[in-house]
Amino acid sequence: MKVTVVGAGAVGASCAEYIALKNFTSEVVLVDIKEGFAEGKAMDLMQCASLNGFDTKITGTTGDYSKTAGSKVAVITSGIPRKPGMTREELIGINAGIVKDVTANLVKHSPDVIIIVVSNPMDTMAYLVHKTSGLPKERIIGMGGALDSARFKYRLAEALDCPISDVDGMVLAAHSDTGMLPLTSKATRNGVAVSEFLSAEKLVEVEEATKVGGATLTKLLGTSAWYAPGAAVSVLVQSIVCDQKKMIPCSVMLDGEYGESNICVGVPCIIGKNGIEKIINISLTDSEKEKFATAAKAVRDVNGDLGF
Ligand code: NAI
C-alpha cells in the first residue's frame, strides 16, 4: 500500500522513518517543494533499511504528484513551523495557501485518499481541507490529540514516578496552548483513577505542562518538535493501513457531536481502513464541557480568518 508524506522537513521525515521502521506498508513517497530535498531524505532513509531491518520502499520527489497516484493515505506536513514565542495560530497566513495547494494536488492523483493533516494551526488546516477538497468527512483526519495524549501520559508518569506503560489518558478539544483539554478525570494508572495518587494541585500542574508541551519544546529546540509528532502520525497511518480500529483522539468535522457543528476539533475516534469509522461520545464533567466549548469557540474564530 502506498503512503504519501508531503513536506520532507523535520516532521515529514520523522513520519516516513517511523512508518518504514514499523514495516506495515510497502511504499512511502516523500514530496517537497525544495529541489532534491525529498529525494535526499528518501535516499538517506533507504540506507537505514538493511541496518534497521525494514522492507518499506521510500522514494522522494520535488513536486511531481503523479508519483503519489493511488495513495491510500497522505500526510500533510508541508508549511512553516513556529519559532519560540509564537503561537500555532500565527502560522495561518503562510500555511493556508500551502495546505490548499497540496490538497488539490493529492486529490487529483488519489481521489480515494485519506488525508491526515499535521500542518499548523492544525484544527483550522483540517477545516480548510474539508472546505476545499470535496472529500467525505470520514477521510479527513487532523493529527493533534494523538501527540497531545502521548505528552499527557509522559507528564502523568513523571508525576506518578511510574512507567509510562502503566498510565492511560486522553487529550481532547483544540491543538493549541490554551485549547487543549487533558481529561484528568478519566486518566488512570493500571485502571485506577490518577486522583487516588495525585493531589488536585499536582493534577493541575500536569494539565498545564501538557498544554504547553509543544511550546516548551519549541523554546528548547528553537523550532517545533518532530520525533513524537512523527511517531503519532505513524500510529494513525498504521491503524488505517492495518485496519486496527484503534481509538485515537483526532480533529474531525463535527455534526452535532459534543454540541458542535461545522468545526474540526479533537474527539475520540475509531480509526480503520475507511478513515474515521466512528466518533465516540464520552461523558464529560460540567467543567470539561465548558472548556471544550471555549476551545471550540477559539478555533471557530481562527477559522474565520480563512474567509469561508
Ligand atoms: P520544516 O520546516 O522542517 O518542514 C516543512 C517542509 O515543508 C519543508 O521541507 C518545506 O520545504 C516543505 N514545503 C513548504 N511548502 C511546500 C509545498 N508547497 N509543497 C511541498 N512541500 C512544501 O517544518 P516541520 O518542523 O516539519 O513542521 C511542519 C509543520 O507541522 C508545521 O506547520 C508545524 O507547525 C506542524 N506541526 C504539527 C504538529 C501537530 O501535532 N499537528 C506537531 C509538530 C509540527
Side-chain angles (χ1 to χ4, degrees):
M1 225 176 252
K2 190 189 282 186
V3 175
T4 289
V5 179
V6 185
V11 175
S14 171
C15 292
E17 183 179 13
Y18 283 116
I19 291 167
L21 273 176
K22 293 179 183 179
N23 221 3
F24 59 78
T25 197
S26 55
E27 193 179 351
V28 174
V29 180
L30 269 172
V31 184
D32 205 281
I33 201 170
K34 230 186 291 172
E35 189 65 43
F37 193 60
E39 290 86 334
K41 286 283 181 103
M43 196 184 288
D44 192 11
L45 284 169
M46 277 308 283
Q47 290 169 3
C48 301
S50 65
L51 297 164
N52 286 333
F54 63 80
D55 294 318
T56 306
K57 183 178 162 202
I58 309 167
T59 57
T61 169
T62 307
D64 178 1
Y65 280 84
S66 68
K67 304 262 174 66
T68 70
S71 292
K72 169 77 182 168
V73 186
V75 184
I76 304 181
T77 77
S78 46
I80 53 163
R82 58 180 168 160
K83 296 274 174 244
M86 282 174 88
T87 65
R88 294 175 178 92
E89 291 74 14
E90 287 174 74
L91 307 172
I92 190 172
I94 294 177
N95 286 356
I98 294 174
V99 170
K100 191 173 166 201
D101 258 25
V102 165
T103 301
N105 281 316
L106 287 171
V107 174
K108 182 171 164 205
H109 292 275
S110 304
D112 297 325
V113 73
I114 294 169
I115 293 187
I116 297 177
V117 184
V118 179
S119 308
N120 274 316
M122 181 280 293
D123 298 296
T124 295
M125 293 300 108
Y127 180 81
L128 171 71
V129 173
H130 272 281
K131 294 292 170 194
T132 61
S133 66
L135 294 180
K137 64 180 184 175
E138 295 74 24
R139 288 202 266 127
I140 303 166
I141 305 174
M143 194 294 286
L147 170 65
D148 301 331
S149 301
R151 288 177 172 160
F152 184 36
K153 288 181 229 180
Y154 164 77
R155 290 297 179 189
L156 281 169
E158 185 184 54
L160 290 159
D161 191 23
C162 77
I164 292 188
S165 57
D166 277 5
V167 300
D168 206 0
M170 261 195 309
V171 176
L172 305 187
H175 181 60
S176 71
D177 296 351
T178 50
M180 272 179 221
L181 176 56
L183 293 182
T184 36
S185 69
K186 293 196 164 45
T188 57
R189 173 186 188 174
N190 296 103
V192 179
V194 290
S195 55
E196 297 283 336
F197 306 94
L198 299 173
S199 66
E201 294 73 35
K202 193 70 197 167
L203 281 172
V204 170
E205 263 177 46
V206 167
E207 246 179 72
E208 290 311 310
T210 302
K211 287 163 75 174
V212 297
T216 303
L217 283 162
T218 303
K219 201 169 160 198
L220 291 167
L221 297 167
T223 184
S224 64
W226 56 88
Y227 294 120
V233 168
S234 75
V235 168
L236 274 174
V237 175
Q238 185 170 17
S239 198
I240 296 167
V241 170
C242 303
D243 196 25
Q244 289 175 317
K245 305 199 189 297
K246 275 182 181 265
M247 186 171 86
I248 305 172
C250 297
S251 183
V252 297
M253 181 57 91
L254 298 182
D255 186 12
E257 298 91 348
Y258 292 85
E260 299 293 338
S261 293
N262 192 34
I263 188 171
C264 295
V265 275
V267 294
C269 300
I270 303 299
I271 304 295
K273 65 177 188 304
N274 302 310
I276 300 150
E277 303 205 337
K278 196 169 185 201
I279 293 175
I280 307 294
N281 252 306
I282 56 170
S283 59
L284 300 180
T285 64
D286 285 347
S287 143
E288 286 164 350
K289 278 184 195 158
E290 201 182 312
K291 287 177 185 164
F292 191 96
T294 306
K297 186 186 174 308
V299 171
R300 196 165 265 121
D301 287 348
V302 180
N303 290 353
D305 292 346
L306 294 171
F308 291 118

